[in-house]
Amino acid sequence: MLKYALRRILYMIPILFGVTVITFLLFNVAAGNPAAMALGNHASAERIAQLERELGLDKPLIYQYFDFVKQVLTFDFGRSWSTKQTISSMILSGVGASLSLTVPSFFITLLITVSISLLLTQFRGSVIDKSVIVVCLAALSISSLVYILFFQYMFGYKVALFPINGWDPSWVGRWEYLTLPIIIFVVIQVGSNMLYYRTIFLDEIFQDYVRTAKAKGLSQKVILFKHVLRNAMVPIITLIVIQMPFLILGSLLLESFFGIPGVGGLVVRAINSSDFPVVKAMTVISSILYMIFQLLSDLLYAVVDPKIQLK
Amino acid sequence: MHSVFETLRKMAKSFGWIVLSSTLILSISCTKKKVSDTDDTIYEIVEQNVKGMDPVYTSDVYTSKAVSQIYETLLEYHHLKRPLVLQPLLAVEMPAASEDGLTHTFKIKPGARFQDDPAFPNGKGREVTATDFIYSWKRLADPANRSDGFWIFDGRIKGLNEWRAAMEKGKANYDTPIEGLVAKDDKTLVVKLTKPYFQLYYVLAHNYSAVVPREAVEKYGKEFLNHPVGTGPYQLENWVRGSKIVMKANPTWHGQTYPTDGDPGDEEKGLLKDAGKALPFAKKLVFYEVTEDQPRWLKFMKGEVDLSTIPKDNFDSAITNGATSAELAKKGIQLLVIKEPDVTYTAFNMADKSIAENINLRRAMSLAIDTDTMIKKFYNGRAISAQSPIPPDVDAYDPDYKNPYKGFDVGKAKEFMKKAGYKEGEGPTIEYSTVSNSTSRQMAEYIQQSMAAIGVKLKVLSTDWPQFMNKIREKKAQVWGVAWLADYPDAENFLQLLYGKNISPGPNGANYVNPEYDSLYEKAALLPPGKERTEIYHKMRDILIKDSPWIPGVHRLGYYLHYSWLHNFKRHSIISNYHKYLRVNPKARAEMKVKL
């Protein structure tokens, strides 16, 4: 497994190279003149040329690309053009807020959806099962913005159960502001996840080993938790791992509407203010995260399913 | 089957725990907070995130609002008088100017101190000196700071541009003297100009020119924008970036009193009740950074903030027949409507021959746009039709002026199309660039329909804002719509948008060059405000309207709401440091908030 992991890490190098080339071309070639954008409306040609020199934009593209690669390798993306803060400190301060929202939401969703889906296998084809499918499909087809607008209006303003918007940086105080966004996050995720897990469990429940287990007289509990759940772990892990990088990247809309100073909002602000160094850094970081979690998922497959051999 | 039910029972039990813990979290979070009846804090929302608190980076109104509470300039605008009137802030009095208008002497207010900060010996702030202003303005000019505010002094102060160039080459430092900036003594600053610059006093009320202490800049380095150290009525207490800024009253502030005079009608509106009282009234300011419309509006409707603008989607429910709706009136919400010093316009790229050489086509297009309908459709009626680039409440604005090529007249527009050499319904295809947000796209589509009526085929190209600006700077856009908000209340700020030397990538995106217009612009630049200058501005306006490089759009109206517990609220978009005048009645707020 170690050999496999090392080889996969080596594979990441050309992928990372591809990511840096595409990101670089997108921002330095296709996106126009960053110096002019940074200087705003009053900028003269002379000032733009001056800033281009300062930013190293007058250097040949290949040198600019190497500067960028150096930033990626050292994880020193410099400072934001807009806020003049170091980009690493901006990201670090945002990650905590984003994770406070996404991690609890993610685990609550996982707990609810896996449990209910597992339970639903016992009622396949019944009214309960059909009703849950209809509700999930209906929930899926509603835009997440609608949930946010409705829940914020209803529970933040009308019923006033939660604060409309705000943030407390202390670990104790922040939950007051996070409860409603967490609930919304769960509601948004439940529909799609539930249908996914239900399908997986139903696939498993009709396998021969389940019939054998029943014939052997094993209890329903043992069949469900020891056999079905374990065998369904591979697709479950796939979904979990795909979602992992997005936990760190936060939930863009929820952060924006509820004033949570997370990474999602950071990216939106950077895009809106043409803060290319921040957008560039976030693009590269998300690609790296995605690659890491992909590797992690492959390794986990082997842990949960001995039939899978990593070569 | 029994085992299934057993499993179900256990699962239900686990769910029970989840429900119980959720209820606990809910009950903790739902505890109603008591509304204080002694809290005089002013709560406000900034609609975009504040970038940092350094005067050299105050290009947007949101950052300016935060910065201007902490930092101060030599001059400021009177809180109540309209059109805007300048008054001294860190200056003792309005400056003395030499006869040729080239030398200006400022006396700095004794007792004006920087707030206490670890950057100073023993943490005690010191008095502001003339040298501090010279240092602060050098910072603005320093190419290393990449400030987008250097334009306020660019080419205006003797030796400053040369110092800037030398700094870039590493041949100067902050101790290198500049001919045009002299500290005659600790409290006397002499500014020598390269040529008369009658907008100087206006830019000295702009946050870009605020004074900063060298000690703090050097101590905090690049983090200075997170550690503001100013002379203003407030100092930063706490800032959670992207969420909330809390400021507290600065105990060492030099002090001011509430104005004793204002505009006619101000007294009746209760705006002079606090005349002569010491400022600031509020011990604290809280700015929430809320970028989305719904939470911004709901927070205001819940009384969590004292004042707000009206999001586009909430306008119809908030305003009925030009006044606050019954729902808002019941909450004691009051409305203030002001004419914003801005103009929206459709620009033609005069560097594009097919556009530049066809004046009749431009006139026809101008006549084909129904501005009144656009005001109803896209501005909720919150705008007035612009007849020229000069907005209301600035010198040379003439409310009676009528642009002969403005006013919806398809028949006349078709005549101009004929003169332009096009057969009926066979106009040219023109690219119209716009920003890819829904309102801009809808406006572009409306203009597209209007143009179709006279046979002009408008091809709408939507891009994001940076791409849009880039197209204009690179002279690649053919026709586009954009807006300009005044930096200072002078028509020059709008007329410079069409000055020949400011063509792309400068602010003259239309690339309009007319030697007669340019020479008038240069002549007016040497004149003080007065009849002669106003006449020149009118001539320039007439040249522009005749040449039609722009189709003037609208001047927007600002609708501002505030609760009746907030007093002394009078607004102007150019003024950002108005919070020191605001006073909250905490008891009235506490009583009303219970009902909201």
Side-chain angles (χ1 to χ4, degrees):
Chain A
M1 189 189 276
L2 187 69
K3 251 187 182 175
Y4 174 83
L6 278 174
R7 203 166 57 242
R8 280 291 300 269
I9 290 168
L10 283 176
Y11 285 162
M12 282 183 190
I13 296 169
I15 299 172
L16 193 61
F17 171 73
V19 168
T20 55
V21 170
I22 293 168
T23 314
F24 176 78
L25 290 177
L26 267 178
F27 290 99
N28 289 53
V29 181
N33 187 342
M37 284 173 208
L39 284 174
N41 286 334
H42 287 280
S44 65
E46 185 205 338
R47 298 279 160 261
I48 292 169
Q50 197 175 39
L51 183 56
E52 278 174 354
R53 280 198 298 279
E54 286 163 27
L55 296 175
L57 299 171
D58 57 336
K59 288 190 210 167
L61 273 182
I62 188 76
Y63 286 101
Q64 291 184 47
Y65 173 72
F66 283 130
D67 285 346
F68 176 53
V69 171
K70 195 177 146 197
Q71 289 180 336
V72 175
L73 294 178
T74 54
F75 265 88
D76 177 6
F77 291 94
R79 283 178 183 266
S80 148
W81 286 353
S82 173
T83 69
K84 310 288 184 285
Q85 290 177 290
T86 57
I87 293 171
S88 48
S89 73
M90 287 166 80
I91 294 171
L92 280 178
S93 70
V95 164
S98 284
L99 289 179
S100 321
L101 165 67
T102 53
V103 170
S105 314
F106 175 75
F107 283 107
I108 295 171
T109 313
L110 191 70
L111 190 71
I112 293 175
T113 48
V114 169
S115 322
I116 297 181
S117 309
L118 208 54
L119 203 66
L120 278 180
T121 57
Q122 305 303 311
F123 300 97
R124 189 177 168 269
S126 71
V127 181
I128 298 173
D129 186 32
K130 282 176 185 163
S131 315
V132 171
I133 294 171
V134 170
V135 170
C136 286
L137 282 173
L140 250 176
S141 43
I142 298 170
S143 150
S144 52
L145 185 63
V146 175
Y147 287 112
I148 296 172
L149 290 172
F150 175 75
F151 276 68
Q152 187 173 55
Y153 178 79
M154 190 50 76
F155 300 108
Y157 177 67
K158 272 280 166 198
V159 189
L161 279 174
F162 307 98
I164 294 165
N165 161 299
W167 180 251
D168 185 338
S170 77
W171 279 97
V172 179
R174 66 178 60 179
W175 302 105
E176 177 185 352
Y177 297 98
L178 280 169
T179 313
L180 185 56
I182 286 176
I183 293 172
I184 300 173
F185 194 111
V186 172
V187 171
I188 292 170
Q189 295 286 318
V190 155
S192 60
N193 285 15
M194 187 103 82
L195 291 177
Y196 179 82
Y197 292 131
R198 179 185 166 275
T199 314
I200 291 165
F201 291 136
L202 282 179
D203 274 353
E204 291 298 327
I205 212 88
F206 293 107
Q207 296 287 335
D208 289 343
Y209 72 86
V210 176
R211 202 177 307 129
T212 313
K214 274 184 189 164
K216 275 167 69 182
L218 291 182
S219 74
Q220 195 71 16
K221 185 177 144 194
V222 171
I223 295 171
L224 277 183
F225 289 98
K226 202 172 167 193
H227 297 280
V228 174
L229 189 59
R230 185 147 190 195
N231 277 295
M233 274 323 259
V234 171
I236 291 177
I237 287 171
T238 309
L239 186 65
I240 291 174
V241 173
I242 286 172
Q243 289 175 341
M244 281 288 181
F246 298 103
L247 299 186
I248 297 166
L249 294 174
S251 171
L252 196 142
L253 273 180
L254 280 168
E255 285 181 10
S256 213
F257 272 84
F258 288 94
I260 300 163
V263 181
L266 184 81
V267 177
V268 178
R269 284 197 294 280
I271 292 169
N272 286 342
S273 56
S274 310
D275 197 347
F276 288 167
V278 176
V279 185
K280 252 190 324 197
M282 288 308 300
T283 313
V284 171
I285 289 171
S286 20
S287 310
I288 294 173
L289 281 174
Y290 194 78
M291 285 190 287
I292 291 173
F293 282 107
Q294 279 295 326
L295 170 65
L296 202 67
S297 82
D298 285 352
L299 299 179
L300 279 173
Y301 289 160
V303 175
V304 297
D305 190 348
K307 283 182 287 184
I308 294 174
Q309 286 193 343
L310 301 174
K311 285 184 181 170
Chain B
M1 204 61 188
H2 169 77
S3 58
V4 173
F5 284 111
E6 182 61 20
T7 312
L8 279 175
R9 198 184 62 79
K10 289 205 171 161
M11 280 183 160
K13 204 173 157 190
S14 320
F15 269 113
W17 278 109
I18 295 168
V19 172
L20 190 68
S21 29
S22 308
T23 318
L24 264 174
I25 295 171
L26 280 179
S27 55
I28 293 165
S29 64
C30 301
T31 316
K32 277 253 175 192
K33 280 179 184 162
K34 200 176 167 274
V35 184
S36 162
D37 60 1
T38 53
D39 174 24
D40 66 0
T41 305
I42 291 160
Y43 297 91
E44 196 184 347
I45 281 174
V46 280
E47 294 161 29
Q48 292 295 331
N49 294 114
V50 172
K51 289 177 185 167
M53 293 193 204
D54 183 340
V56 302
Y57 306 118
T58 45
S59 56
D60 64 278
V61 291
Y62 315 103
T63 303
S64 292
K65 199 176 270 187
V67 165
S68 64
Q69 314 304 329
I70 298 171
Y71 289 100
E72 288 181 317
T73 45
L74 279 170
L75 307 175
E76 66 172 349
Y77 295 102
H78 193 284
H79 176 53
L80 299 174
K81 290 183 182 172
R82 303 290 182 273
L84 294 179
V85 173
L86 284 166
Q87 65 180 25
L89 177 55
L90 282 176
V92 174
E93 58 201 357
M94 288 304 283
S98 63
E99 224 165 79
D100 59 4
L102 293 177
T103 307
H104 300 260
T105 307
F106 296 84
K107 286 277 176 197
I108 294 158
K109 197 174 177 181
R113 314 176 63 83
F114 289 111
Q115 67 189 50
D116 295 345
D117 189 89
F120 300 108
N122 304 320
K124 292 275 165 214
R126 60 163 176 80
E127 284 235 355
V128 178
T129 65
T131 317
D132 289 316
F133 279 97
I134 297 174
Y135 173 76
S136 305
W137 296 353
K138 280 179 172 171
R139 271 192 87 234
L140 188 66
D142 185 350
N145 287 330
R146 293 177 198 161
S147 167
D148 51 10
F150 178 58
W151 62 269
I152 68 167
F153 293 142
D154 193 2
R156 307 290 188 172
I157 295 174
K158 272 187 185 167
L160 188 61
N161 280 59
E162 290 76 5
W163 178 85
R164 180 177 163 97
M167 281 294 279
E168 203 188 358
K169 289 175 191 147
K171 289 181 182 165
N173 59 43
Y174 276 87
D175 297 320
T176 310
I178 288 174
E179 189 193 345
L181 292 174
V182 181
K184 219 167 146 190
D185 57 54
D186 264 5
K187 294 285 177 184
T188 313
L189 173 69
V190 180
V191 180
K192 292 176 189 164
L193 301 174
T194 53
K195 57 189 172 193
Y197 179 30
F198 290 98
Q199 289 77 32
L200 175 71
Y201 296 170
Y202 288 137
V203 299
L204 292 184
H206 197 293
N207 290 310
Y208 283 134
S209 70
V211 68
V212 299
R214 185 170 183 167
E215 299 92 321
V217 175
E218 286 175 355
K219 179 179 166 66
Y220 297 115
K222 292 221 170 188
E223 288 303 313
F224 177 62
L225 81 174
N226 290 321
H227 293 93
V229 183
T231 59
Y234 293 96
Q235 59 189 102
L236 184 65
E237 184 177 283
N238 180 28
W239 181 16
V240 183
R241 266 190 183 265
S243 179
K244 189 166 82 170
I245 301 167
V246 183
M247 293 180 187
K248 61 180 180 187
N250 170 12
T252 63
W253 188 46
H254 53 88
Q256 270 183 307
T257 52
Y258 192 88
T260 50
D261 56 349
D263 276 348
D266 282 348
E267 187 145 25
E268 291 75 13
K269 288 177 196 154
L271 287 167
L272 285 167
K273 271 188 186 163
D274 288 320
K277 288 185 187 167
L279 302 176
F281 293 117
K283 289 183 207 76
K284 263 190 182 186
L285 299 181
V286 174
F287 293 105
Y288 297 107
E289 298 179 47
V290 184
T291 54
E292 295 293 339
D293 282 349
Q294 171 164 299
R296 184 156 63 85
W297 183 244
L298 296 181
K299 268 177 109 68
F300 175 66
M301 293 299 281
K302 209 75 194 152
E304 288 179 24
V305 289
D306 305 312
L307 57 161
S308 175
T309 52
I310 311 171
K312 189 172 167 276
D313 293 340
N314 300 95
F315 188 79
D316 288 340
S317 63
I319 303 296
T320 318
N321 299 325
T324 49
S325 65
E327 186 197 356
L328 269 65
K330 214 173 110 191
K331 291 175 183 235
I333 294 171
Q334 294 174 357
L335 171 70
L336 177 73
V337 181
I338 61 160
K339 288 172 189 162
E340 297 287 7
D342 71 358
V343 65
T344 69
Y345 58 93
T346 303
F348 294 102
N349 181 4
M350 301 294 276
D352 183 321
K353 276 193 176 174
S354 64
I355 298 280
E357 288 172 359
N358 208 336
I359 190 169
N360 288 315
L361 170 69
R362 299 198 297 275
R363 287 174 179 171
M365 287 173 72
S366 180
L367 283 161
I369 296 176
D370 183 358
T371 309
D372 292 339
T373 303
M374 287 190 77
I375 289 173
K376 276 184 213 139
K377 271 183 176 245
F378 302 111
Y379 297 95
N380 303 113
R382 286 186 282 182
I384 53 170
S385 179
Q387 301 299 316
S388 83
I390 304 168
D393 282 348
V394 303
D395 182 22
Y397 173 74
D398 178 0
D400 299 323
Y401 176 75
K402 184 85 189 72
N403 180 341
Y405 308 111
K406 187 110 197 275
F408 184 47
D409 191 337
V410 177
K412 214 168 153 189
K414 281 181 177 173
E415 277 172 34
F416 276 110
M417 285 299 284
K418 221 183 211 174
K419 278 189 201 169
Y422 299 106
K423 285 182 190 163
E424 173 116 28
E426 291 179 19
T429 301
I430 292 175
E431 287 180 357
Y432 181 92
S433 299
T434 187
V435 185
S436 51
N437 63 51
S438 57
T439 312
S440 299
R441 270 204 308 270
Q442 285 166 11
M443 280 172 126
E445 279 162 18
Y446 182 78
I447 294 173
Q448 191 179 37
Q449 284 169 20
S450 309
M451 292 304 134
I454 58 163
V456 173
K457 294 165 230 22
L458 216 60
K459 196 173 149 195
V460 176
L461 305 173
S462 303
T463 52
D464 60 15
W465 176 254
Q467 293 278 5
F468 173 75
M469 287 308 291
N470 215 38
K471 266 166 83 178
I472 297 168
R473 283 195 188 101
E474 291 178 357
K475 303 183 185 176
K476 286 178 183 163
Q478 216 173 3
V479 179
W480 64 93
V482 76
W484 184 267
L485 175 71
D487 296 297
Y488 42 81
D490 188 327
E492 182 271 345
N493 194 232
F494 292 84
L495 296 171
Q496 56 98 21
L497 298 174
L498 290 148
Y499 176 49
K501 287 186 183 164
N502 284 346
I503 59 165
S504 294
N508 178 3
N511 301 303
Y512 171 71
V513 183
N514 180 324
E516 191 192 351
Y517 179 89
D518 289 353
S519 78
L520 285 171
Y521 177 85
E522 284 153 17
K523 197 174 161 193
L526 304 179
L527 292 173
K531 206 178 159 210
E532 195 185 348
R533 196 182 74 166
T534 306
E535 275 171 14
I536 294 178
Y537 282 166
H538 282 160
K539 274 187 198 163
M540 292 168 76
R541 175 198 66 194
D542 295 343
I543 293 172
L544 288 179
I545 299 308
K546 192 173 131 273
D547 285 353
S548 307
W550 280 14
I551 304 172
V554 302
H555 303 301
R556 286 172 285 199
L557 296 173
Y559 276 61
Y560 298 92
L561 297 173
H562 68 95
Y563 281 93
S564 51
W565 65 63
L566 183 77
H567 299 279
N568 305 331
F569 181 67
K570 191 165 182 178
R571 194 71 180 93
H572 193 288
S573 297
I574 292 176
I575 304 178
S576 52
N577 65 342
Y578 55 90
H579 297 76
K580 60 188 172 189
Y581 302 104
L582 300 182
R583 181 172 55 80
V584 160
N585 179 343
K587 265 199 173 152
R589 175 159 66 186
E591 281 165 19
M592 179 57 89
K593 273 190 83 169
V594 178
K595 298 176 202 161
L596 294 174

